[in-house]
Amino acid sequence: MKKIKVRGMQTPDCAATVSKAVSTVNGVETVNVNLATGEVTYGPSACVDMSILKEAVEQAGYEVEE
């Protein structure tokens, strides 16, 4: 499992949108979004291309913190 920080989520609908975007990335099997902390945990991390994951989050209207 790997964590990323996402900025811009303010409501449960935001968290659901980010969760859906991350889950569409090839290799992602599990997604957990913590709205309070802005953390998204996903896995397995070994099979996921971070640039594609970041692009999916940005296309959903949010920003991945580096």
Side-chain angles (χ1 to χ4, degrees):
M1 300 295 278
K2 184 168 181 170
K3 287 184 184 180
I4 59 170
K5 195 92 161 150
V6 176
R7 281 192 283 205
M9 295 188 296
Q10 298 177 5
T11 68
D13 287 340
C14 296
T17 300
V18 170
S19 179
K20 184 175 180 181
V22 172
S23 69
T24 64
V25 175
N26 284 341
V28 173
E29 295 175 5
T30 326
V31 180
N32 182 26
V33 178
N34 185 324
L35 182 60
T37 63
E39 291 182 336
V40 177
T41 306
Y42 66 93
S45 60
C47 303
V48 178
D49 183 333
M50 185 59 184
S51 63
I52 294 172
L53 182 85
K54 182 177 177 182
E55 183 178 326
V57 171
E58 289 174 351
Q59 285 182 351
Y62 303 91
E63 185 178 344
V64 176
E65 291 184 17
E66 298 289 332

